[in-house]
Amino acid sequence: KDVITPLEELMVEKEGYLQKAKIADGGKKLRKNWSTSWIVLSSRKIEFYKESKQQALSNVKTGHKPESVDLYGAHIEWAKEKSSRKNVFQITTVSGNEFLLQSDIDFIILDWFHAIKNAIDRLPKD
Ligand code: I3P
């Protein structure tokens, strides 16, 4: 297994806007509420920012934290049946958080799906 160095851990692999809906927290179902999110993928985690990238960067100074998703042991799968929207996939974390991510643009959602799947697959499985 490849070892992820501290430097690699900090490197952003992909970032951009997607539609996001958190549908479960710690295994507890939540009411689905889609919103635009600025999404930052690094080797071990995904961060969801409610705001634009500019806003997210300025919030770093104020200590405002994004929602962070631990990719260790996480699952990713297409979730056609979970939405009336096209191009939806789901990420499920070990802690029982469930997120739907969506874009109307096929290549954008495909790129994200593969980037996140690759990140998960590169992490050691215990
Ligand atoms: C939900 C809202 C969501 C929709 C969801 C609705 O209604 O319209 O956009 O999900 O469908 O329940 P509300 O705003 O009143 O909570 P999709 O856009 O993904 O279809 P669902 O209940 O079938 O998940």
Side-chain angles (χ1 to χ4, degrees):
K1 263 284 166 239
D2 294 344
V3 171
I4 298 163
T5 67
L7 206 60
E8 283 174 313
E9 196 177 324
L10 292 170
M11 279 176 54
V12 170
E13 301 196 1
K14 189 171 176 60
E15 56 187 336
Y17 290 105
L18 287 179
Q19 296 299 307
K20 184 201 86 169
K22 187 176 185 179
I23 57 166
D25 186 278
K28 187 176 173 287
K29 291 283 173 216
L30 299 175
R31 181 175 165 189
K32 190 196 277 168
N33 183 18
W34 288 104
S35 63
T36 304
S37 187
W38 177 256
I39 298 176
V40 179
L41 171 67
S42 53
S43 60
R44 292 165 194 249
K45 64 175 194 271
I46 301 173
E47 288 176 327
F48 294 125
Y49 294 86
K50 286 193 193 73
E51 323 81 358
S52 68
K53 186 184 189 183
Q54 280 310 313
Q55 191 64 44
L57 288 171
S58 72
N59 281 343
V60 170
K61 295 173 203 146
T62 63
H64 185 111
K65 288 266 172 16
E67 177 158 36
S68 185
V69 176
D70 184 3
L71 291 179
Y72 271 105
H75 289 275
I76 184 170
E77 61 191 349
W78 293 104
K80 222 179 175 52
E81 73 292 348
K82 297 271 178 91
S83 176
S84 60
R85 300 180 176 209
K86 67 184 278 200
N87 296 343
V88 176
F89 65 75
Q90 177 171 333
I91 299 167
T92 306
T93 67
V94 170
S95 58
N97 293 343
E98 297 175 7
F99 301 91
L100 299 180
L101 295 175
Q102 189 266 344
S103 169
D104 286 337
I105 302 163
D106 295 0
F107 80 86
I108 288 179
I109 203 71
L110 276 170
D111 280 358
W112 272 103
F113 183 87
H114 292 298
I116 295 169
K117 194 179 186 324
N118 286 340
I120 291 172
D121 290 347
R122 264 188 269 121
L123 292 170
K125 318 263 181 306
D126 290 328

